[in-house]
Structures are given as C-alpha cells and as structure tokens.
Amino acid sequence: MNRFNEYAVVDLGSNSFHMVIARIINGVVQIIYKNKINIHLATGLKANNELTESSIMRGVECLALFAERLNGFPPEHIRVVATHTLRVAKNRHKFLMAAAKVFPFPIEIISGQEEARLIYLGTMTAESTSPTDTKLVIDIGGGSTEIAIGKGNDLTPLIVASRPMGCVTYTKQFFYEQTIDAVSFQQAKLAAEQQIESMISRLKKMNITAAFGTSGTIKSIYHILLDLGVSDGIITPKRLDDLISYVLEFKTFNDINYPSLSKERKKVFVSGLAIFSGIFSALGLQTLQFSPCALREGVFYELIDGPNYQDIRKNTAQSLSEHYNIDQRHAKQVVKTAKYLFSQWQKQAPITIPPNLESILYWAAQLHEVGLKINFSSIHKHSSYILQNSNLPGFNEEQQLLLSTLVRYHRKSINIDELSYFSLFEYKHIISLMQILRLSILINNQRNADIDLQAFQLKLLENKLAKITLEINQEFVENNKLILLDLAQEQKYWEVIDDWKLSIVIC
C-alpha cells in the first residue's frame, strides 16, 4: 500500500482564506494545489470586536469547500492556522462551532508572536543570505502586521512582534469611503509609525543587513515597481516615495490603474502601502526585497520536513524554566511522577488522551513554579499569569491557554465554572490532566529527591474518569506522615465539585 503523500496547510487570514496542498517527491516539496478565497473576515468585525453573522457564514462556506478537497486526508497531514481576526473576535467560539459542523479538522488560533515566528521561518527557508546577516522580515496582513528579526543561519528569530494594524482594518479606519487624499494617507502612515514606536530604537540597534517583505501588500508593491520599469523590484526610499506620489494622484481606490493590481487588492492596497511606508521610514531601511514565502511555508516546513513541532515547545519550556530559575531537580521529579500516574490512568481509562495533549501535562508539571519568583502564597495564580502572557514559540493560542489553566488549578480550590472555552480539547480530557497534575505536585510537596513512586497506585473508581482512588504503601506513609494531611485537604477540594472524588487507601 502506498503511503499517503499529500500534506495541506490552511491559513484563515483576516482578508482571505488560503489552502495549499503539497506532496514530497524525492525529498522535495512540490505544490500541487492552491486555493484562495477572499472572505474579508476583518471587514465583518464590529466595533465591539464581534464578528457579524454574515462574515461567519462567509468563512464557514469557504471551509465547507475546502473540506471537499481535503476529504480522505489523515488529520496529521493537515494543519489549519487562524490569525488576527479570530484572535481578537470575542465571539470566535460561534465561528469555531459552526466551522466544526462542515470542516472536520482542528483550527488552531495562533498568537501574533507565533505567527511572526512562522513567517520568519517560512521566509528564511526560501531566501539565500549570508551567515553574518541580521535579517528583518515584515508581513502586512489584513488585521495585523508581524515583524521578526534573526541572525545568521538560525531559523528561530531573536525578536518577534505583532501589531494590530492591517490593510483591512486601516482601510476601515482611515479610508472608509475608499477615497484617496494625502491627509488620510499621512494619518495612516503616522499611526503605523506610532504602533512600532516602542520597537524602533531596539530594531535599529540590531544593524539590519537584509530586509524582506512578504504577503499581499508588499507583493503588490513589488509587482507595481515592475510595472513601472524597475527591473529588480527592490524597494528603496526613492522608489517608495515615487510610488506613493503616483498613488496619491488617483481619486479613489478603484481608480488605481496598474496591470498587476487585482480588483480585490485595490480595496485594501492604499492602507497597506501607508502601513508599509510608516515602517520603512521609521526603521530607516534603505532596501527591502519581496519574498514569496511566509506563514504557510513556515507551517509546511514544520508539518513536513522541519524540526519536530514538539521539540520547539520543549525548547520553549526549557528556556522559560531557566529564565525563572526553576528548581530543575524538583521539576523533573514532578514530571516523572506525572508520567507515572498518567500511565496508570491511561491503562484503565475508557478514553485515550492524544500524545500532543499529554505532553502539555508534562510541560505544566515542569513549569508550575515559574511564579515562585514573585511569591509562594499565590504561586498558582502568578505562574498561570506568566504562562498566559509570555511569548511561547511553538504553542498555539489554545495550547498556551490550556498550559496556563492547568497550572492555575494545580493547588487550592477549583472553580470549574471559570474554565475557559476550548475548541481543540475535550473537557473530560482537561479534567483528568488537571487531577493528575495536582496529585503529582502534592506527592512531591516535601521535595524529596529519592521518592519511591512504586509506593503509589492510581485506580479509577468503576471506570469513572474523575473518581480516583490513590493507594499508598503503609511503610511510605509512616515515613512521610505529612502527606496524609495534604491528601486530606485535597479531598476537601474535590468534594465540592460534581462527579469528582478522591479516595485514599493505605495498604
């Protein structure tokens, strides 16, 4: 039987939805299908950051079409990422629930910083640069602009940033009637400069030697320069100023007349040009090249042939652990305990927790003390806050939220009603991981390096997932009497939650 050899990446952008399908031929990625549908999702984002019903419908109808082409694909051969508009939409759960009815693949909403990392990865795998270069990548999307800087041959950027300025949102904000005038253009340009004001000094100090721009707006600028006779298409200050002067001569967006500018791109080009102009001048760039590779290529690289996705998250966890001076020995012991208890739980459970979800349990065990640097009394809250608000390369938004949630409830009381909505993970899985994490940390409360895990046996009560019996060896208890006090308190925390039960048996 031939191994399935096609892979797909779907990018749910603020302006358009893209689907790209590729296969591997003799070790080379070969694109065999592309589809782009202009959804204008960001246009349907109301002032209160809720998506309109019509914009949700447009997106879902598009995904239904994509699902037809993806029929028969193994889930592990597909990755679907959503960007700015679904990041900020307060009612995104409506979109995700409606999408799930017609599109049977998980949709990952990625953070702006994760988007910037993937864009940099996609660009740098395609561009030839010197090992000594400091490289800048700019991507102006429909709802946000991503910026990344890296050095040498390292595919992981040193700086990643995302700013809420995009060609769709700036069109609504500064060019509502789609008329062109110098005052509105200058306002949009200054607004873009203001968005990156806090970064300018730091970025300039990096001494950028190679700058690249990706995606629709910069692609359009590149092609218009070619239309105007600029043979290499490289963007320079003079060429950019000349292009802006040409564009400002037109009265409306629809009047812009360049052979390479499509009717759809005309609707958002002027605002994108203003954003790009603001960034270009604020950073004092002298040259910038267009790169055809960006987010989708970065996702493909990790999906198909790049460094293992989980390894990136492993490196992220280790870096965070070192940054906050976590007690490595203790963290490893808690992880070891979590693996031991999870193994026992999985053998008895009537359900299976997938490996990518299981791994988040272990990262939670490794990182549950990042907040200790603040203080111990509310360590669970401090740790959760740090994990929720840090840049965690490799984690999508829900994975980061789950990591933060597990750590938030690793001790003290639990309010189940406060749990966030998750579209990628099942509630029953989350509850089981939470219970295992709590027990793993509790067992190691005394921070003993040589604890005998064989003294503990976890059993499910009548196959009830949230009802656990913990059998403890009597000899262990005699030498560690404090654990019974800790477990007695833990039982009280469980008692007030429906369907939860913790039984302790000394044997």
Side-chain angles (χ1 to χ4, degrees):
M1 180 183 289
N2 291 330
R3 186 173 64 87
F4 194 87
N5 195 33
E6 292 184 9
Y7 297 82
V9 167
V10 179
D11 166 16
L12 309 184
S14 298
N15 193 37
S16 52
F17 285 8
H18 297 253
M19 177 169 65
V20 180
I21 298 175
R23 62 183 175 184
I24 311 300
I25 303 296
N26 297 324
V28 177
V29 177
Q30 183 183 78
I31 303 295
I32 60 173
Y33 180 83
K34 283 186 176 182
N35 199 336
K36 171 189 173 184
I37 299 179
N38 291 300
I39 302 300
H40 304 298
L41 201 63
T43 303
L45 200 61
K46 295 183 287 188
N48 64 353
N49 275 354
E50 288 197 351
L51 287 168
T52 61
E53 292 295 333
S54 59
S55 63
I56 291 174
M57 188 179 300
R58 290 196 303 272
V60 171
E61 287 173 353
C62 174
L63 288 177
L65 293 175
F66 286 0
E68 290 180 11
R69 178 63 181 83
L70 297 174
N71 185 34
F73 271 67
E76 63 272 17
H77 281 232
I78 296 175
R79 192 170 175 203
V80 187
V81 295
T83 56
H84 176 79
T85 297
L86 286 173
R87 273 200 295 272
V88 301
K90 291 181 179 178
N91 61 339
R92 63 185 179 182
H93 64 281
K94 274 191 173 183
F95 175 89
L96 294 171
M97 287 191 292
K101 295 177 181 177
V102 300
F103 189 75
F105 304 102
I107 296 173
E108 300 178 46
I109 298 174
I110 57 176
S111 70
Q113 292 169 317
E114 176 67 358
E115 184 180 356
R117 181 188 73 82
L118 288 166
I119 289 167
Y120 184 88
L121 174 62
T123 303
M124 289 303 108
T125 54
E127 298 297 334
S128 178
T129 58
S130 164
T132 59
D133 274 331
T134 298
K135 299 168 288 189
L136 167 75
V137 177
I138 301 169
D139 186 303
I140 300 170
S144 64
T145 293
E146 278 64 49
I147 298 172
I149 290 186
K151 283 195 173 185
N153 295 323
D154 192 349
L155 294 176
T156 302
L158 298 171
I159 297 174
V160 290
S162 178
R163 294 293 183 266
M165 52 183 182
C167 55
V168 176
T169 52
Y170 266 41
T171 296
K172 288 169 65 177
Q173 187 174 347
F174 296 101
F175 305 95
Y176 184 72
E177 299 293 335
Q178 299 208 347
T179 56
I180 302 172
D181 65 87
V183 173
S184 297
F185 189 91
Q186 187 65 13
Q187 287 176 338
K189 178 183 175 181
L190 290 173
E193 290 184 32
Q194 190 176 28
Q195 283 286 349
I196 66 164
E197 187 176 13
S198 61
M199 300 174 58
I200 293 172
S201 176
R202 186 182 180 196
L203 296 186
K204 283 185 173 181
K205 286 179 181 177
M206 298 287 289
N207 295 319
I208 297 160
T209 56
F212 299 91
T214 69
S215 298
T217 289
I218 299 172
K219 179 181 180 181
S220 296
I221 294 172
Y222 166 76
H223 282 297
I224 290 173
L225 288 178
L226 296 181
D227 292 342
L228 295 173
V230 177
S231 59
D232 58 15
I234 293 175
I235 302 170
T236 66
K238 185 179 185 308
R239 290 171 179 178
L240 183 59
D241 287 342
D242 288 346
L243 175 57
I244 292 169
S245 296
Y246 296 148
V247 169
L248 290 178
E249 290 178 5
F250 296 103
K251 299 297 182 185
T252 70
F253 284 17
N254 197 51
D255 292 336
I256 302 173
N257 186 23
Y258 294 114
S260 62
L261 197 63
S262 69
K263 184 178 179 181
E264 280 294 330
R265 180 53 57 178
K266 285 181 182 181
K267 296 177 182 178
V268 294
F269 175 69
V270 178
S271 56
L273 179 62
I275 293 169
F276 178 73
S277 174
I279 297 171
F280 195 90
S281 62
L283 296 181
L285 299 177
Q286 295 305 304
T287 61
L288 182 138
Q289 302 176 56
F290 167 68
S291 173
C293 296
L295 175 64
R296 289 179 292 282
E297 287 74 19
V299 176
F300 258 124
Y301 184 78
E302 290 192 338
L303 180 66
I304 298 176
D305 199 32
N308 185 274
Y309 183 53
Q310 300 230 0
D311 283 348
I312 293 169
R313 294 184 289 178
K314 180 180 178 181
N315 293 340
T316 295
Q318 186 58 36
S319 175
L320 204 64
S321 176
E322 292 170 1
H323 178 77
Y324 285 97
N325 299 317
I326 286 177
D327 181 344
Q328 300 283 350
R329 182 195 59 76
H330 176 65
K332 287 178 180 177
Q333 184 62 33
V334 175
V335 172
K336 182 180 178 182
T337 306
K339 288 181 177 180
Y340 174 75
L341 295 181
F342 179 84
S343 174
Q344 294 185 343
W345 179 92
Q346 188 66 90
K347 289 175 183 176
Q348 304 170 64
I351 61 172
T352 299
I353 289 181
N356 68 331
L357 182 53
E358 178 189 347
S359 63
I360 295 177
L361 166 65
Y362 306 140
W363 285 315
Q366 180 181 350
L367 298 171
H368 73 281
E369 287 192 333
V370 292
L372 192 57
K373 210 168 185 178
I374 302 173
N375 66 45
F376 176 76
S377 63
S378 295
I379 183 177
H380 52 306
K381 296 178 182 178
H382 300 318
S383 295
S384 176
Y385 180 84
I386 290 170
L387 293 173
Q388 182 56 36
N389 292 281
S390 296
N391 174 30
L392 302 186
F395 287 80
N396 66 44
E397 197 173 76
E398 279 207 12
Q399 289 168 340
Q400 185 166 352
L401 178 59
L402 177 58
L403 179 64
S404 170
T405 299
L406 291 177
V407 170
R408 168 65 179 83
Y409 294 111
H410 81 258
R411 65 193 288 266
K412 302 275 185 161
S413 60
I414 308 160
N415 187 343
I416 293 298
D417 295 333
E418 289 183 356
L419 286 185
S420 301
Y421 168 79
F422 291 91
S423 65
L424 298 178
F425 310 119
E426 293 187 52
Y427 175 82
K428 58 187 178 183
H429 291 168
I430 294 171
I431 293 302
S432 293
L433 295 183
M434 190 181 294
Q435 291 182 334
I436 292 170
L437 179 65
R438 290 176 68 92
L439 291 175
S440 300
I441 293 170
L442 185 150
I443 286 170
N444 289 281
N445 267 355
Q446 306 308 312
R447 307 179 89 89
N448 295 328
D450 56 351
I451 189 169
D452 179 16
L453 293 180
Q454 298 300 321
F456 299 89
Q457 298 297 318
L458 183 149
K459 295 185 177 179
L460 293 181
L461 183 61
E462 300 173 355
N463 285 329
K464 301 289 185 180
L465 290 176
K467 296 185 177 181
I468 289 176
T469 296
L470 191 65
E471 295 182 353
I472 312 176
N473 179 278
Q474 186 168 357
E475 183 180 347
F476 179 89
V477 172
E478 288 173 358
N479 294 317
N480 299 272
K481 292 186 172 62
L482 278 175
I483 195 171
L484 290 183
L485 293 176
D486 291 338
L487 285 168
Q489 180 59 58
E490 184 69 6
Q491 285 178 304
K492 293 177 182 177
Y493 290 138
W494 289 40
E495 281 174 3
V496 298
I497 304 172
D498 290 343
D499 297 324
W500 282 42
K501 185 178 182 181
L502 176 62
S503 302
I504 307 299
V505 176
I506 311 298
C507 53

Short mmCIF file of all heavy atoms in Angstrom, two decimals, residues 120 124 127-135 150-154 209-210 212:
data_model
loop_
_atom_site.label_atom_id
_atom_site.label_comp_id
_atom_site.label_asym_id
_atom_site.label_seq_id
_atom_site.Cartn_x
_atom_site.Cartn_y
_atom_site.Cartn_z
N TYR A 120 8.78 34.21 9.72
CA TYR A 120 10.25 34.27 9.61
C TYR A 120 10.80 32.93 9.14
O TYR A 120 11.66 32.87 8.26
CB TYR A 120 10.85 34.67 10.96
CG TYR A 120 12.35 34.86 10.91
CD1 TYR A 120 12.89 36.10 10.58
CD2 TYR A 120 13.21 33.81 11.21
CE1 TYR A 120 14.28 36.27 10.54
CE2 TYR A 120 14.59 33.97 11.17
CZ TYR A 120 15.12 35.22 10.84
OH TYR A 120 16.48 35.38 10.79
N MET A 124 12.87 32.49 5.70
CA MET A 124 14.29 32.17 5.76
C MET A 124 14.64 30.80 5.18
O MET A 124 15.79 30.55 4.83
CB MET A 124 14.79 32.26 7.21
CG MET A 124 14.88 33.68 7.74
SD MET A 124 15.95 34.73 6.71
CE MET A 124 14.73 35.78 5.93
N GLU A 127 15.02 32.01 1.36
CA GLU A 127 15.91 33.09 0.93
C GLU A 127 17.38 32.77 1.22
O GLU A 127 17.70 32.21 2.26
CB GLU A 127 15.52 34.40 1.62
CG GLU A 127 14.12 34.90 1.28
CD GLU A 127 13.94 35.23 -0.18
OE1 GLU A 127 14.96 35.55 -0.85
OE2 GLU A 127 12.80 35.15 -0.67
N SER A 128 18.23 33.15 0.29
CA SER A 128 19.67 32.94 0.45
C SER A 128 20.30 34.18 1.06
O SER A 128 20.23 35.27 0.48
CB SER A 128 20.31 32.65 -0.91
OG SER A 128 21.70 32.50 -0.78
N THR A 129 20.87 34.03 2.24
CA THR A 129 21.51 35.16 2.92
C THR A 129 22.86 34.75 3.46
O THR A 129 23.18 33.56 3.53
CB THR A 129 20.63 35.67 4.09
OG1 THR A 129 20.41 34.58 5.00
CG2 THR A 129 19.30 36.21 3.59
N SER A 130 23.64 35.73 3.87
CA SER A 130 24.96 35.46 4.43
C SER A 130 24.83 35.01 5.89
O SER A 130 23.94 35.46 6.61
CB SER A 130 25.81 36.73 4.36
OG SER A 130 26.93 36.63 5.20
N PRO A 131 25.73 34.13 6.33
CA PRO A 131 25.70 33.69 7.74
C PRO A 131 25.92 34.83 8.73
O PRO A 131 25.63 34.68 9.92
CB PRO A 131 26.85 32.68 7.82
CG PRO A 131 27.07 32.23 6.42
CD PRO A 131 26.75 33.40 5.55
N THR A 132 26.42 35.96 8.23
CA THR A 132 26.67 37.10 9.12
C THR A 132 25.54 38.13 9.08
O THR A 132 25.58 39.13 9.81
CB THR A 132 27.99 37.80 8.73
OG1 THR A 132 27.89 38.26 7.37
CG2 THR A 132 29.17 36.85 8.85
N ASP A 133 24.52 37.89 8.26
CA ASP A 133 23.43 38.86 8.11
C ASP A 133 22.54 38.94 9.35
O ASP A 133 22.29 37.92 10.03
CB ASP A 133 22.54 38.51 6.91
CG ASP A 133 23.07 39.08 5.60
OD1 ASP A 133 23.74 40.12 5.65
OD2 ASP A 133 22.81 38.48 4.55
N THR A 134 22.07 40.15 9.63
CA THR A 134 20.95 40.35 10.55
C THR A 134 19.73 40.62 9.69
O THR A 134 19.70 41.58 8.93
CB THR A 134 21.22 41.54 11.50
OG1 THR A 134 22.38 41.27 12.27
CG2 THR A 134 20.03 41.76 12.43
N LYS A 135 18.73 39.77 9.80
CA LYS A 135 17.64 39.74 8.82
C LYS A 135 16.31 40.18 9.43
O LYS A 135 15.93 39.73 10.50
CB LYS A 135 17.53 38.33 8.24
CG LYS A 135 18.80 37.90 7.52
CD LYS A 135 18.82 36.42 7.21
CE LYS A 135 19.03 35.57 8.43
NZ LYS A 135 19.27 34.16 8.12
N GLY A 150 16.17 38.08 12.95
CA GLY A 150 17.03 36.98 13.34
C GLY A 150 18.44 37.19 12.82
O GLY A 150 18.68 38.11 12.02
N LYS A 151 19.34 36.32 13.23
CA LYS A 151 20.73 36.45 12.82
C LYS A 151 21.25 35.14 12.24
O LYS A 151 20.89 34.05 12.71
CB LYS A 151 21.62 36.88 13.99
CG LYS A 151 21.51 38.35 14.34
CD LYS A 151 22.66 38.78 15.24
CE LYS A 151 22.65 40.30 15.43
NZ LYS A 151 23.81 40.76 16.22
N GLY A 152 22.12 35.27 11.23
CA GLY A 152 22.81 34.12 10.69
C GLY A 152 21.88 33.07 10.12
O GLY A 152 20.83 33.37 9.56
N ASN A 153 22.29 31.81 10.29
CA ASN A 153 21.52 30.69 9.72
C ASN A 153 20.47 30.13 10.67
O ASN A 153 19.79 29.16 10.33
CB ASN A 153 22.49 29.57 9.32
CG ASN A 153 23.42 30.00 8.20
OD1 ASN A 153 23.02 30.75 7.30
ND2 ASN A 153 24.67 29.55 8.25
N ASP A 154 20.34 30.71 11.83
CA ASP A 154 19.36 30.22 12.80
C ASP A 154 17.95 30.55 12.30
O ASP A 154 17.64 31.70 11.99
CB ASP A 154 19.60 30.89 14.16
CG ASP A 154 18.81 30.22 15.28
OD1 ASP A 154 17.92 29.40 14.98
OD2 ASP A 154 19.07 30.54 16.46
N THR A 209 20.94 44.03 8.05
CA THR A 209 21.70 44.00 6.79
C THR A 209 20.92 43.38 5.64
O THR A 209 21.33 43.50 4.48
CB THR A 209 23.01 43.21 6.98
OG1 THR A 209 22.71 41.89 7.46
CG2 THR A 209 23.94 43.92 7.97
N ALA A 210 19.79 42.71 5.94
CA ALA A 210 18.95 42.12 4.89
C ALA A 210 17.50 42.23 5.33
O ALA A 210 17.14 41.75 6.41
CB ALA A 210 19.34 40.66 4.63
N PHE A 212 13.34 41.77 4.25
CA PHE A 212 12.41 41.10 3.35
C PHE A 212 10.98 41.47 3.72
O PHE A 212 10.66 41.66 4.90
CB PHE A 212 12.57 39.57 3.44
CG PHE A 212 13.93 39.09 3.06
CD1 PHE A 212 14.93 38.94 4.02
CD2 PHE A 212 14.24 38.79 1.74
CE1 PHE A 212 16.20 38.50 3.68
CE2 PHE A 212 15.51 38.34 1.39
CZ PHE A 212 16.49 38.20 2.35
#
